[in-house]
């Protein structure tokens, strides 16, 4: 696969395998419109042996999830030669969903683990599920970084979630904490200020670095204004330093985290809270791959706002590959 340095908009999704069908296509049916966008980009020549659809259990938006699941099944049914598996999961319990994946893996695993042809559409997954899914595929199964698709969505000056139900370290991302060191907290910020603020108060870190998306997608200047306004209390604290990260380049996010790590690793335990974009969360995973001592923390919202249903799907992006990947 040809390496890319920046996100590329996808208009026609081709196979990875030029000699036959791909091994696997993985996606998620959520209540968001964008969770079905990638399958509409598949050309008549796209084929895959298997598809796995994770379907989120969200009682308040059951109708939207079922509608999107039906569309994904219908479209992938035209492209899949050997089978489609549906994994129904609760957003609060990623390990249970990954266990279901483990149970079906022998039926749908790549023919050649040394050269798998896997595409993952991350658009519908929650961030904690993304981290657990990549941990299983890349670390436990040693399959390498798959091709990653992400469909953006329109911005609205409203909060995505309300309240905080629970703060937890993400399973498999506990890191290795030294109690002789103080904490530096890295927060990737977006439109969920209560969740990131709750993590900040929970840790009461010596230092905090807030990573804000800048430049915004497509020159959308209001995004930066919305993000700063939503997180104004946190950003006003004297111990909080602000740095920029791009929205859709995981390797650029990894590079920013590497810089912070090199500045502070001798003096601080690093804790990361991924509350920005989903491609940025992939960047957190790439950083964790090389620095498993860091800890990744998460806070669950009490509820999702209906703002999600008002946001229209934007372009579908092919996320950059590492320069070393060919």
């Amino acid at each position: 696969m040809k390496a890319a340095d920046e996100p590329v908009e996808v208009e026609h999704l081709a196979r990875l395998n030029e000699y036959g069908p791909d091994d696997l296509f993985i996606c998620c049916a959520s209540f968001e419109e964008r969770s079905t966008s990638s399958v509409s980009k598949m050309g008549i020549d796209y084929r895959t042996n298997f598809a796995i659809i994770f379907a989120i259990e969200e009682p308040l938006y059951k109708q939207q999830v079922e509608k999107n699941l039906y569309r994904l099944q219908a479209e992938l049914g035209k492209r899949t030669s050997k089978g489609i598996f549906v994994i129904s999961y609760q957003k609060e319990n990623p390990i249970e969903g990954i266990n279901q994946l483990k149970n079906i893996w022998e039926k749908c695993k790549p023919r050649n683990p040394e050269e798998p042809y896997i595409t993952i559409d991350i658009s519908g997954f929650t961030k904690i599920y993304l981290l657990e899914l990549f941990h299983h595929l890349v670390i436990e199964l040693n399959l390498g970084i798959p091709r990653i698709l992400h469909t953006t969505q329109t911005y609205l000056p409203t909060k995505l979630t309300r309240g905080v139900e629970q703060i937890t370290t993400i399973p498999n991302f506990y890191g290795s904490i030294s109690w002789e060191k103080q904490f530096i907290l890295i927060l990737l910020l977006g439109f969920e200020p209560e969740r990131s603020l709750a993590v900040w108060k929970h840790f009461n870190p010596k230092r905090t670095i807030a990573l804000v998306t800048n430049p915004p997608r497509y020159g959308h200047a209001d995004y930066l204004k919305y993000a700063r306004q939503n997180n104004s209390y946190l950003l006003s604290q004297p111990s909080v330093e602000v740095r920029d990260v791009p929205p859709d380049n995981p390797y650029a996010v990894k590079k920013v985290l590497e810089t912070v790590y090199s500045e502070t690793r001798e003096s601080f335990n690093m804790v990361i809270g991924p509350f920005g974009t989903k491609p940025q969360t992939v960047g957190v995973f790439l950083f964790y791959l090389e620095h498993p001592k860091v800890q990744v923390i998460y806070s669950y919202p009490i509820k999702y706002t209906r703002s999600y249903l008002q946001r229209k799907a934007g372009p579908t992006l092919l996320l950059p590959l590492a320069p070393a990947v060919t």
Side-chain angles (χ1 to χ4, degrees), residues 47-173:
R47 292 290 184 274
T48 181
N49 284 326
F50 296 99
I52 298 175
I53 306 171
F54 286 77
I56 187 171
E57 294 180 7
E58 183 56 63
L60 291 178
Y61 304 116
K62 183 178 179 181
Q63 181 179 353
Q64 288 85 357
V65 173
E66 290 180 347
K67 176 183 175 182
N68 291 334
L69 175 59
Y70 176 81
R71 182 178 177 189
L72 286 170
Q73 288 176 303
E75 291 299 320
L76 287 170
K78 305 172 187 176
R79 315 274 192 263
T80 306
S81 59
K82 294 186 178 180
I84 300 174
F85 297 89
V86 176
I87 294 175
S88 182
Y89 75 92
Q90 298 175 339
K91 62 179 182 294
E92 298 87 357
N93 190 1
I95 296 301
E96 195 275 333
I98 298 302
N99 284 338
Q100 291 185 57
L101 175 61
K102 293 177 181 179
N103 290 337
I104 65 172
W105 189 249
E106 285 299 317
K107 300 177 182 178
C108 60
K109 66 182 181 181
R111 293 159 293 185
N112 180 6
E114 299 298 320
E115 191 178 6
Y117 297 105
I118 300 175
T119 299
I120 298 181
D121 177 6
I122 67 173
S123 309
F125 287 97
T126 63
K127 298 178 184 74
I128 190 171
Y129 254 90
L130 280 183
L131 290 169
E132 292 296 345
L133 179 60
F134 277 94
H135 186 278
H136 180 62
L137 295 176
V138 178
I139 296 178
E140 295 180 15
L141 296 178
N142 196 31
L143 292 175
I145 305 298
R147 178 168 66 172
I148 304 172
L149 301 175
H150 176 62
T151 300
T152 63
Q153 59 183 1
T154 56
Y155 298 127
L156 293 174
T158 54
K159 296 178 180 178
L160 296 176
T161 58
R162 297 197 184 280
V164 175
E165 187 173 50
Q166 180 186 4
I167 297 172
T168 182
T169 303
I170 297 179
N172 295 310
F173 293 83

Side-chain angles (χ1 to χ4, degrees), residues 195-251:
R195 297 174 68 187
S196 51
L197 186 60
V199 168
W200 181 74
K201 290 181 177 179
H202 174 79
F203 271 92
N204 189 27
K206 179 70 174 180
R207 286 185 62 186
T208 302
I209 296 180
L211 301 182
V212 178
T213 299
N214 189 35
R217 291 181 181 127
Y218 315 117
H220 197 306
D222 282 344
Y223 174 93
L224 188 58
K225 181 178 72 173
Y226 298 159
R228 288 183 176 274
Q229 287 176 347
N230 267 291
N231 297 281
S232 59
Y233 178 79
L234 177 64
L235 296 177
S236 69
Q237 301 306 305
S239 63
V240 176
E241 175 189 343
V242 180
R243 300 191 189 185
D244 296 336
V245 288
D248 300 307
N249 190 330
Y251 289 93

Side-chain angles (χ1 to χ4, degrees), residues 13 18-19 25 34 107 161 172 180 214 221 291 294 317:
L13 185 65
E18 60 180 313
Y19 300 109
F25 184 88
R34 62 175 171 171
K107 300 177 182 178
T161 58
N172 295 310
E180 298 176 357
N214 189 35
H291 305 285
V294 304
L317 303 176

Side-chain angles (χ1 to χ4, degrees), residues 252-268:
V253 173
K254 174 180 178 288
K255 186 176 180 180
V256 172
L257 294 172
E258 291 278 7
T259 299
V260 176
Y261 184 78
S262 66
E263 296 170 356
T264 61
R265 61 181 176 180
E266 300 299 331
S267 305
F268 291 91

